[in-house]
Amino acid sequence: MTNEWLEEDTDHETLTHSELERIEIELLLEGIYSIYGFDFRNYLRSSLRRRIYHRMNLESLPTITSLLEKVLHEPKFIEKLLNDFSIKVTEMFRDPSFFTALRRDVIPHLRTLPEIRIWHAGCATGEEVYSMAILLQEEGLLSKAKIYATDMNELVIESAKQGKFPLKRMQAFTKNYMKAGGTKEFSSYYSTNHEHAFFHPYIKENMMFAQHNLATDCSFNEFHLILCRNVLIYFDSELQNRVHDLFFESLTVNGFLALGSMESLISFHKSKYEDFNAPERVFRKILK
């Protein structure tokens, strides 16, 4: 019996720092999932690791295990981690050439539909959702469109609903809008105070915001266009495959899927789509 204990102690001593770190991260993610239902187990570790250590530094915590203890024993603490883990890098008319392609190539197909259903998956604080609404308004299609915007983070969803953005960002947004083929004065779409720009109510009239987790939740409608741009890059191949299954199930035949500039269809799904606009990562579903 003594020898067995000695062997176990020796095995533990031979674990490297990276191996211990990996175990701690796995336990942290399992704890988050078991207690709160948020599934980060298939997120890329490199991205999560940076966010975990950022939170540890802010909280002056010595180990990942001490972070897990706060997750287990302080229910409010999970809100901080969700905010850390959420992907919030976005702006209005981000990648203007993409929105130009939407206006030129996709909109003519949407125009033929009696109703247009669009899903922004992983919408963060909503900048691209409002961009889509403005584009549809300029094309005379907003009144017959339903724009569904979802994110796993309830806090950013509440922020997106407000249609309120820092005034200091509007100059950059205006430049993007003009590069994307905007046809009006961008300032005509919002009012301002000394700190924020507020988009007019008619812009968000046909928007529906809701919490939805791509890692765990199911399809909730059938869409003519799904946008999920620069979200899948944070997922491992297993989760990417599951999310692509979800998108395929959620698209109408001949519906469009728009991914980010660093993303593409994985091999299993390529036969289900045509490269509608390969440079801008727009694909069209061709199979049922």
Side-chain angles (χ1 to χ4, degrees), residues 1 13 15 48 76 83 93 106 110 132-133 143 152 158-159 190 209 222 224 226 230 237-238 246-247 276 283 286:
M1 181 67 77
E13 289 172 2
L15 286 174
L48 283 180
K76 287 288 185 183
N83 202 46
F93 294 94
V106 177
L110 299 183
M132 175 62 71
S143 62
M152 70 167 185
E158 290 303 315
S159 174
Y190 60 84
F209 291 93
E222 193 173 45
H224 304 104
I226 296 176
N230 300 317
S237 58
E238 179 185 340
L246 171 65
F247 290 159
F276 186 78
F283 307 92
I286 56 176

Side-chain angles (χ1 to χ4, degrees), residues 50 81 99 103 123 136 141 158 181 185 197 221 230 240:
R50 289 193 300 272
L81 271 187
F99 282 92
R103 191 188 294 266
C123 70
L136 291 171
L141 299 177
E158 290 303 315
E185 288 290 330
N221 209 325
N230 300 317
Q240 285 185 24

